[in-house]
Amino acid sequence: AEASSIIGNDGGLVGTSRLWPPPALSLSDRSYFVTLSTTIEQRTFISEPAVNRVDGGWTLYLARRLSDQDGTFLGVATVAIRLAYFDEFFAAVRFSPGTGVTLLRPDGVILKQFPGGVMTPGERLVVPAWQRVAAAGGGGYWSPGQDGRGPRLVHVRPIPDLAVMVNVTRMATDVFARWRQQMLAIGAATVAALGMIGLLVGALARQVGRVEASNARLVEQANSLRLAELRQAEQAMVLQTTLAHMNQG
């Protein structure tokens, strides 16, 4: 993860690991904030790629709703992932020629393509075959291709517990020429994508855990302060009563 941030319930940036003090920014119009601030049932959200307002880089966000014990909305914790990170990660995997990987949301919004394709991040994939396979929980279908290089096999796999779909594609010529190698390439690409997302989710979970632990400490300190005030009030009443008896005596 490139950076983590805490956003208040009004959309203002409370803190970020990029710099201190945080800039005076309002993120109330971001899709993750709008969704999580208005939907109690949804705890996590993956944004469409957007230009980061701190440094201008293309970024997507893993976000989690922060709530009080009674469900009151407190804000949002986010982990920012620069899109360039995916290029570096997938390049290091060294897929066989003709293999492509695309990360998407279940609604078809493209998060990242490797190598770069004809569609840009943030665009929506409107392909009936993909929508059918994705709705069924994964599988494969043949695509005629959108870049003029011919048909290809698309393998669709959802990432458990996270609203992300992974498309792994292979050119038809490579599929028929090396079927067994193609199966291994699909498996390796899927495992690599699952492992990468797992690391990012772990980073978000650790950030949220630190925030929740901090909130618990603040609640404990507030309770201790109220108890001390009650004790002082009791002592003051005892002293007042004693003085009153002494005056009467």
Side-chain angles (χ1 to χ4, degrees):
E2 180 189 11
S4 57
S5 302
I6 299 297
I7 302 166
N9 59 7
D10 61 350
L13 182 62
V14 176
T16 175
S17 60
R18 285 192 177 95
L19 48 87
W20 184 261
L25 293 177
S26 175
L27 303 171
S28 59
D29 61 334
R30 292 299 201 189
S31 59
Y32 57 81
F33 183 87
V34 173
T35 299
L36 295 178
S37 63
T38 57
T39 307
I40 298 177
E41 294 77 12
Q42 186 168 350
R43 297 280 295 172
T44 59
F45 183 84
I46 297 180
S47 75
E48 55 274 277
V51 175
N52 188 289
R53 293 177 183 172
V54 175
D55 60 15
W58 276 93
T59 306
L60 63 83
Y61 298 87
L62 291 176
R64 180 166 180 175
R65 176 188 171 98
L66 301 177
S67 303
D68 203 347
Q69 294 180 349
D70 62 359
T72 302
F73 177 64
L74 299 178
V76 175
T78 68
V79 173
I81 307 134
R82 187 181 291 273
L83 292 188
Y85 166 79
F86 293 97
D87 290 320
E88 298 169 0
F89 180 89
F90 288 127
V93 176
R94 295 184 179 180
F95 299 124
S96 59
T99 300
V101 180
T102 304
L103 301 179
L104 313 90
R105 295 195 318 198
D107 60 1
V109 171
I110 292 178
L111 304 176
K112 182 61 180 176
Q113 285 185 305
F114 179 85
V118 296
M119 300 185 71
T120 59
E123 288 190 66
R124 191 180 302 272
L125 181 65
V126 184
V127 176
W130 182 87
Q131 294 170 335
R132 182 178 63 255
V133 171
Y141 69 94
W142 284 99
S143 169
Q146 298 176 308
D147 55 6
R149 293 193 297 165
R152 64 197 66 195
L153 177 64
V154 182
H155 183 78
V156 183
R157 174 77 179 271
I159 297 179
D161 303 322
L162 192 63
V164 173
M165 310 293 290
V166 180
N167 286 2
V168 180
T169 62
R170 289 281 291 170
M171 301 298 299
T173 52
D174 295 326
V175 171
F176 293 122
R178 296 178 297 175
W179 182 261
R180 185 173 182 275
Q181 290 83 349
Q182 181 267 339
M183 287 285 102
L184 294 175
I186 286 177
T190 302
V191 169
L194 290 172
M196 179 194 62
I197 296 297
L199 292 173
L200 297 175
V201 172
L204 177 60
R206 288 191 295 272
Q207 172 66 14
V208 171
R210 288 192 291 267
V211 172
E212 292 177 345
S214 177
N215 288 340
R217 287 193 296 270
L218 291 175
V219 171
E220 183 179 355
Q221 292 173 0
N223 290 336
S224 299
L225 181 60
R226 285 196 292 269
L227 181 59
E229 291 174 348
L230 288 174
R231 289 175 177 171
Q232 290 178 356
E234 290 176 356
Q235 293 173 358
M237 291 178 64
V238 170
L239 178 60
Q240 185 177 3
T241 302
T242 302
L243 292 175
H245 284 306
M246 291 176 63
N247 290 335
Q248 292 175 0

